[in-house]
Amino acid sequence: MFCCSFETNCGSCAFAFNKQANTAHIKKVNLEDKEKEYTFVSEVPEDENGFINEWLGISEEAFEEKALKVMIEQEKGENLPKGYVPQTIFFLWDDEEIIGQFNVRHYLCESLVEGSGHIGYFIAGKYRGKGYATEGLRLTLQLAKSIIPEEEIY
């Protein structure tokens, strides 16, 4: 059960996020946070509930040299594999720790219309059931509105 609006906390959500203790924020993937981004990504399972981690098992050095470059290029639509669309990758932070990842696909191709939609996300296991996904999605939707040209976000 979720709020009827991601803009406010109606107080009746099963997983209401404590706004007074809210230190959650999102940041685009970036080089400055590479150590924490690597730590988070290296702990995400290869495929969990449809969230695919193509970087599982990568070394920290390869993450910095290859994975980060690819993640940043994806936002610009550069060097995309066939069938992929540009996407912006955001990490959900609580204070100084990354606890989730939100991928915003800039537009939908046919396979995304029938499948994953505009936004894919992953929340680390120990943070599930505490409202972080709801808060992360609220924050991501605010930014996604300026990225996605379609009127509806799926």
Side-chain angles (χ1 to χ4, degrees), residues 21-68:
N22 181 0
T23 56
H25 59 283
I26 58 174
K27 290 173 34 177
K28 274 189 208 180
V29 62
N30 64 78
L31 297 173
E32 294 79 29
D33 295 316
K34 63 186 173 199
E35 291 87 6
K36 290 184 179 185
E37 292 167 347
Y38 169 75
T39 299
F40 178 80
V41 169
S42 68
E43 295 174 359
V44 173
E46 184 175 12
D47 181 359
E48 185 169 308
N49 297 322
F51 188 89
I52 308 297
N53 179 10
E54 63 186 285
W55 307 112
L56 185 67
I58 195 169
S59 70
E60 189 167 359
E61 182 179 306
F63 180 79
E64 181 179 343
E65 292 174 5
K66 182 176 181 182
L68 280 176

Side-chain angles (χ1 to χ4, degrees), residues 107-148:
Y107 55 87
L108 300 179
C109 60
E110 189 174 324
S111 64
L112 292 173
V113 168
E114 299 297 323
S116 303
H118 287 102
I119 299 173
Y121 67 93
F122 177 85
I123 301 294
K126 67 182 180 179
Y127 295 100
R128 293 179 187 168
K130 298 179 181 179
Y132 284 105
T134 301
E135 180 65 3
L137 185 57
R138 184 187 72 78
L139 294 168
T140 301
L141 281 169
Q142 289 175 348
L143 296 172
K145 291 174 186 176
S146 67
I147 297 170
I148 298 170

Side-chain angles (χ1 to χ4, degrees), residues 96-114:
E96 296 299 316
E97 183 177 3
I98 297 176
I99 60 172
Q101 180 177 334
F102 288 76
N103 300 342
V104 176
R105 297 172 196 96
H106 296 195
Y107 55 87
L108 300 179
C109 60
E110 189 174 324
S111 64
L112 292 173
V113 168
E114 299 297 323

